[in-house]
Amino acid sequence: MRQVIIVGSGPAAYTAAIYAARADLAPLVIASSVEFGGELMKTTEVENFPGFPEGIMGPELMTKMQEQAERFGAELVYDDVTKLELEGEIKRVHLGSGEVHEALAVIYATGSAYRKLGLADEERLSGYGVSWCATCDGAFFRQKKVAVVGGGDSALEEATFLTRFADTVYLVHRREELRASKAMQERAFADPKIEFLWNQEVAHIYGDEKVTGMGLVSTVDGTETTKDLDGLFVAIGADPRTHLVHGQLELAPEGTVAVRGRSSMTNLEGVFAAGDVVDPSYKQAITAAGSGCVAALDAERYLSELPAELLARAAGTAPQPQPASA
Amino acid sequence: MSARNVTDADFEAEVLKSDKPIMVDFWAEWCGPCKAVSPILDRIAEENADKIDIVKLNVDDNPETAMKYGITSIPAMYVFSDGEVKKRIIGAKPKPALESDLAEFLA
C-alpha cells in the first residue's frame, strides 16, 4: 500500500508529485499510457510559464516536470486507470493491466478532454481531415484550405500555427467576438491568411474518403453556406475528465470536481483534486501547477493525522514496537 | 528493440513485398502523441514477432509515401498485407485498444 497515489500527468499531477516526493510520501503517479504529459504535449511554444524568458516547448516543459518529480522519488506508471474506489480509509486504483494499487490518499488530476462538435461525420472523418491537434497534423495541409472552429485562445493559437502551412485558414465562430486573450486576437487579426467567419456554426462536414468541405449555418438568420475545405480543426474547448469519479465525488454546477474553498479537498476524506478537472475558469499550466501544490500539501496534512499503524502499513514497514520505558 | 525504419526508397521492397502482415507507423519528430505510442508499438511487435512486422516511416523525410497514402493525421498506423492497406488506425491509443484494433492480425 502507498501513502498517496496521483492520477494524472499534467502540470497539476507532476507538481503534486514533486511536493509529495519531497515530503517523503513516495507517491505513485498513474500517468496514462498514451496521454502522459497532458495538454501541453500537443502545444508548441509556451511563452507564459514563469522562469522561461525565451519560452519553452510544451513537451519539453512536461518532461522537465516529470524528471523533477522522479528525482525526488516519485514513481511513474504508464497505464490508464479503469476504476477508482475512493470511499473508506484505504483507496483502490484499478489499472488497465489488471493491477490494483492501494493508497491512503488519492490526488485526482486528470485534466480535461476535447469537446466534439457532435456531428455525424465528425468521427468517421477524424484522422482524414478532421483533427483536434494542429501541431500534430498541420504540416499535412501545405498550400491547402483549412478551418478552425472556436473562439478561445486555443482556437486562435491553432489558426495562427496553421498559417505556416495552409494558404487559407477560416476561423469559424458562432458569435461575433472572441473569448481569446487580447494578444492572441491582435496576432490573428493581423494575419492575412486568417479569414474570420463570424456568427457561423458548422452543421455538416462533407467528404467520402477525406474532408472536402463544410456546411455552415448562420447563428443570426439561419442562412446556409458551404465552403470547400481540406481540413477541419476543432477547438471548441474541453470538458473536465470526471468519468472515473461519477457517483463518488461531488461535482460543481460547471461539471468540475467540487472542492472546499481554496483547498483541494473533495467531499471524500483523503481524496484531493487539482488542475483543470477542478477549474472552470483559468485553465492555465501555471494555475494547474499551483493547484497541484495545494493538493500535495493538503494530502500531506491529512496523512499526518492518520493513525500511526496505518501509515506504517503504507510505508511498507511493520509498526516498530515501542522501547520499554525504564 | 525498437522498430526499424523504412523510407520512400525501400517502401516497396520492405512493405509492399513483405511476406507477412506489416504495420507502418507514420510519425514525425515534432509529434508528441507519436512519441507516446512508439514504445507501445515496440512491445506489440516484440510480443507478436511471428505474426506481424512493425516498421516506422518518418513523414518529413519521406513525404512521397505519406502523400501517396493520404496521411493527414499522425500517428497513423496502416497494416499492409499482400501490398494492400488492410487496416487503418489513427491516433495514439492505449495498448489494449491497439491490440483489439489489430486482433485479426494477432490471432
Side-chain angles (χ1 to χ4, degrees), chain A residues 90-167:
Chain A
I90 295 172
K91 327 290 180 194
R92 284 183 188 81
V93 178
H94 299 251
L95 303 187
S97 65
E99 273 176 45
V100 182
H101 293 273
E102 291 184 333
L104 295 173
V106 167
I107 295 174
Y108 188 72
T110 48
S112 50
Y114 294 118
R115 206 170 284 159
K116 297 188 170 178
L117 290 169
L119 298 175
D121 295 309
E122 183 179 12
E123 201 65 43
R124 181 175 65 80
L125 290 168
S126 168
Y128 303 97
V130 175
S131 171
W132 281 265
C133 180
T135 58
C136 305
D137 303 337
F140 298 109
F141 296 91
R142 284 199 172 87
Q143 282 130 42
K144 307 261 174 147
K145 269 187 190 166
V146 300
V148 175
V149 189
D153 274 348
S154 58
L156 289 202
E157 192 191 331
E158 298 217 331
T160 304
F161 178 80
L162 286 166
T163 59
R164 292 190 202 180
F165 309 105
D167 281 343

Side-chain angles (χ1 to χ4, degrees), chain A residues 21-39:
Chain A
R22 280 177 47 81
D24 278 337
L25 301 177
L28 181 69
V29 181
I30 314 298
S32 110
S33 61
V34 291
E35 295 195 271
F36 55 84
E39 193 88 344

Side-chain angles (χ1 to χ4, degrees), chain A residues 44 46 58 123 225 269 287 317 325:
Chain A
T44 51
V46 179
E123 201 65 43
T225 48
E269 293 269 296
T287 53
T317 53
S325 52

Side-chain angles (χ1 to χ4, degrees), chain A residues 55-68:
Chain A
I56 181 168
M57 298 304 277
E60 195 192 344
L61 179 61
M62 294 323 298
T63 306
K64 282 177 183 287
M65 286 191 200
Q66 178 203 323
E67 287 169 359
Q68 195 174 349

Side-chain angles (χ1 to χ4, degrees), chain A residues 58-88:
Chain A
E60 195 192 344
L61 179 61
M62 294 323 298
T63 306
K64 282 177 183 287
M65 286 191 200
Q66 178 203 323
E67 287 169 359
Q68 195 174 349
E70 287 178 317
R71 178 183 154 207
F72 295 111
E75 190 187 330
L76 265 73
V77 174
Y78 296 99
D79 201 347
D80 303 292
V81 174
T82 54
K83 187 177 151 193
L84 288 172
E85 295 176 69
L86 298 174
E87 287 179 37

